[in-house]
Amino acid sequence: LQIAALRDLDEIARRVTDLVLRTFDYYYVAIFTLETGQETLNFRANAGPSTATGEPAPIYAPVSLGEGIIGTVAQTGLELLARDVSQEPRYRHLELLSETRSEIALPLIAQDRLLGVLDVQSDQPDDFDEMDLLVLRGLSGNIAIAIEGAQLYQDLRRRAVQLQTVYEVSRAIASILDQEQLLKEVVRLIRERFG
């Protein structure tokens, strides 16, 4: 419920990772998103081991589809549970997460579309019981819906700006009879609105 009203994708990811970490007392939580047509997941936010400033360190760079546990989940659309990461060949050891002993990555899917991956790591081996898995699966569905909503909202805002620009250009055209002045105004408006 705390994320339902949010429209900023990065803020949603920060809040979710922090809430999952604090609520379940896991070692590390991260969210990655996948843009349509892309071959890499973008790191969005994490919570867990912190830097000297007390902020969680953004531990991952973009992850390619099929790379490691997270990339495999994005490629297949299926969750992957590593009860003991030392026995999981797809596990990628990172020195900043040296205490990880078990990990689960869950796909974030809305309307049959993969939007990203929720990655949860524990410093205990075999730390994810059936109740944890049930809750995390339900949570991943809600996270996917929040991400989809934020993406739709951002798309609508972008389209509204474009429509406003078209309206302003049309209004400028209608109000200018001098062709040279008209072209200068059109160029100015396009440069101002679209950079």
Side-chain angles (χ1 to χ4, degrees):
L1 291 175
Q2 293 185 32
I3 62 168
L6 296 176
R7 294 291 174 243
D8 179 69
L9 189 51
D10 291 322
E11 182 64 20
I12 289 169
R14 279 191 297 273
R15 292 254 191 114
V16 165
T17 55
D18 186 56
L19 281 168
V20 172
L21 186 82
R22 286 186 296 121
T23 303
F24 297 101
D25 197 30
Y26 288 124
Y27 174 63
Y28 178 77
V29 180
I31 290 181
F32 297 81
T33 57
L34 181 66
E35 301 298 322
T36 303
Q38 297 295 312
E39 294 293 315
T40 57
L41 291 149
N42 297 312
F43 169 81
R44 280 291 175 180
N46 69 323
S50 57
T51 64
T53 64
E55 291 294 313
I59 297 189
Y60 290 102
V63 176
S64 297
L65 293 180
E67 179 185 1
I69 291 174
I70 295 162
T72 299
V73 169
Q75 187 174 51
T76 64
L78 303 171
E79 73 180 52
L80 199 155
L81 172 62
R83 294 187 182 281
D84 180 353
V85 294
S86 69
Q87 302 300 310
E88 173 55 60
R90 293 166 287 199
Y91 173 71
R92 290 182 9 194
H93 175 80
L94 296 172
E95 196 54 44
L96 290 170
L97 295 174
S98 61
E99 302 298 316
T100 298
R101 298 297 175 261
S102 56
E103 178 175 5
I104 184 166
L106 301 110
L108 301 174
I109 299 173
Q111 296 185 21
D112 296 327
R113 197 173 115 234
L114 183 91
L115 302 175
V117 174
L118 171 65
D119 183 55
V120 182
Q121 299 180 25
S122 174
D123 55 1
Q124 303 297 313
D126 199 16
D127 197 29
F128 301 100
D129 62 27
E130 286 306 313
M131 183 57 76
D132 293 332
L133 297 175
L134 185 66
V135 170
L136 289 170
R137 287 174 187 136
L139 184 60
S140 68
N142 289 331
I143 294 168
I145 290 168
I147 289 172
E148 181 183 46
Q151 288 175 337
L152 288 171
Y153 179 76
Q154 289 171 349
D155 188 44
L156 285 173
R157 286 189 60 189
R158 185 173 47 254
R159 288 177 190 225
V161 167
Q162 290 171 343
L163 285 173
Q164 180 65 28
T165 301
V166 168
Y167 170 75
E168 288 178 14
V169 169
S170 298
R171 199 175 78 210
I173 290 170
S175 67
I176 300 173
L177 299 177
D178 177 30
Q179 186 177 12
E180 187 175 325
Q181 183 183 355
L182 170 66
L183 294 175
K184 285 179 182 178
E185 184 64 15
V186 168
V187 168
R188 184 192 69 77
L189 284 169
I190 290 172
R191 184 180 303 135
E192 181 182 292
R193 293 294 182 181
F194 297 108

